[in-house]
Amino acid sequence: DVKVTQSSRYLVKRTGEKVFLECVQDMDHENMFWYRQDPGLGLRLIYFSYDVKMKEKGDIPEGYSVSREKKERFSLILESASTNQTSMYLCASSRGDRVLSGANVLTFGAGSRLTVL
Amino acid sequence: KQEVTQIPAALSVPEGENLVLNCSFTDSAIYNLQWFRQDPGKGLTSLLLIQSSQREQTSGRLNASLDKSSGRSTLYIAASQPGDSATYLCAVPGYYNTDKLIFGTGTRLQVFP
């Protein structure tokens, strides 16, 4: 069964800590994404990667960085966690075919709920 | 800038009812539209994808329609069941980067026995 695995389901961190959220996919997908989901705001894209070592800012990249050293792994890094980064973080992946081929169907992980105190 | 809206935000119905969830988008130049389901505390599962050239897609008791010209999509759920209780989200590709999806805020559905 193909899947996207997020290593931590629940994390509690303190303000100022460095936080790593890990995501691994086993579908050989080119594209990987990090979203955060907040009540009333829906899903907002933080960062996007379309290839190893390639990344692109999403709509809300401030306070975050990412790393993609291997195709299957996409890490989200909070350099200095703040309380406004308390949220549900969702990782997703998709094939790299262009949308005209009917691709870009996302497969999501189960999510990582981060609380920053 | 593309904006995606879903109304209502929440819906509670008795088991067995047929129901319609609505999704609207401001820029009709979309390649496709997807509907997702999200169970509480979980990730999203893709339900249906409608290409811009299609008017509807069906999967079991689910039927999604797309009217690009009016900027609307509907998700029809027939004979609803308590197991259908979840949040339903629609999403369209961004115009300049079609690999990125823009999501609506979702409709939280509760089907009670």
Side-chain angles (χ1 to χ4, degrees), chain A residues 2-6 23 27 33-35 43 90-93 105-111, chain B residues 34 36-38 42-46 101 103:
Chain A
V2 294
K3 60 174 65 173
V4 176
T5 303
Q6 295 183 230
C23 175
M27 296 167 282
F33 307 81
W34 274 107
Y35 288 89
L43 275 80
L90 293 166
C91 175
S93 70
V105 175
L106 295 185
T107 300
F108 279 85
Chain B
Q34 289 186 66
F36 292 84
R37 169 185 172 136
Q38 184 177 29
K42 302 285 183 63
L44 281 68
T45 301
S46 182
L101 295 185
F103 286 83

Side-chain angles (χ1 to χ4, degrees), chain A residues 25 29-32 48-56 66-74 94 96, chain B residues 99:
Chain A
Q25 51 94 4
H29 282 173
E30 286 77 15
N31 299 331
M32 295 189 76
F48 158 56
S49 170
Y50 50 91
D51 201 351
V52 175
K53 296 190 186 293
M54 306 302 288
K55 62 184 179 184
E56 185 174 315
V66 291
S67 172
R68 191 159 181 209
E69 297 296 319
K70 294 184 178 181
K71 188 176 185 179
E72 67 270 19
R73 187 180 297 271
F74 191 36
S94 70
Chain B
D99 288 313

